[in-house]
Amino acid sequence: MSARINPSILSADFVNFERDFGSISNADLIHIDVMDNHFVPNLTFGLPMVARMQQVAPKPLDVHLMIEDPERWAPGYAEAGAFSVTFHAEASKDPVALARRLRAIGARAGVAIKPGTDVEPFLDILAEFDQLLVMTVEPGFGGQSLIETTLSKVAAARRRIDAEELDVWLQVDGGIDETNIERVAQLGADTFVAGSAVFKATDRAAQIAALRDSANRGCSHR
Ligand code: DX5
Ligand code: ZN
C-alpha cells in the first residue's frame, strides 16, 4: 500500500480553487475543510461550494466537517458525491449511526477526534468507520505546529487496526510537513493531510511526491 497525500485547500487561493486544483493533480485525494464558526472559531464554505468543487476537482474529495450537528449536514456531502466524509466525534450524538448513514449513501465514513479527545472508546468500534482522523493540531486553522502528544493515539490506533486486520485508513491532519511525515508514518498513519506544506511550495506536485516518498519510507520501517 502506498501512503496517501491529501492536500488541504484551506491553504489554497479562495478565489482560484479551480486553478489551484491544477497544481495538486497528483494528490491522492483533495482535503476539503468545512468550518462553521461554531464547532471551530473559523468559517470556510458549505455544501453548495463543495458540490461545485466535486464537479471540477481532479481527484476524489476527502471532506472534513468541523461543524456542529453533523447529523443534519453530513449526509448532504455524501449525496453530492464526496468520496469520503469525516465528521467530528465531539459533535456527533451517535457516530456509529451517522457513519452507517454515510456508507448507505455510498461515501466512505470517517470519524475525527480533536487533540484532547481520547482514542480508546473508538478502538472497539473502528470497523464501523472507513477512516479514523487523529487531529494533530486543534482544528480551525492551517499553519500550526504538530502537537507531539497526539501521536500516541496514532500508534494505539495502528496497533488495533493491524491486530484486527481492519480496512480502516488512519489519517493525520495538522502540522504535517517534510520534517515529520516519515516519523508519523512509522508510528502508523497512512493518510496525510498537508495544507501549508504543499501550498507554500513553488512546485506543489513535486512537494506532494516528496512527501509521499518520505511517508512510504516511514511505513516500510514499521
Ligand atoms: C485544520 C484543518 C487542516 C489544515 C491543515 O483545522 O483541518 O486540514 O488545513 O493545515 P496545515 O497542514 O497547514 O497544518
Ligand atoms: Zn482538515
Side-chain angles (χ1 to χ4, degrees), residues 207-221:
Q207 175 73 332
I208 289 167
L211 288 168
R212 191 183 289 117
D213 284 349
S214 298
N216 280 333
R217 252 196 317 279
C219 289
S220 69
H221 288 113

Side-chain angles (χ1 to χ4, degrees), residues 8 10-11 31 33 35 64 66 135 137-144 173-176 193-197:
S8 163
L10 189 61
S11 294
H31 186 82
D33 288 304
M35 304 187 189
H64 177 196
M66 285 160 276
M135 287 302 299
V137 299
E138 286 297 338
F141 300 91
Q144 305 179 72
D173 181 6
I176 299 295
V193 178
S196 43

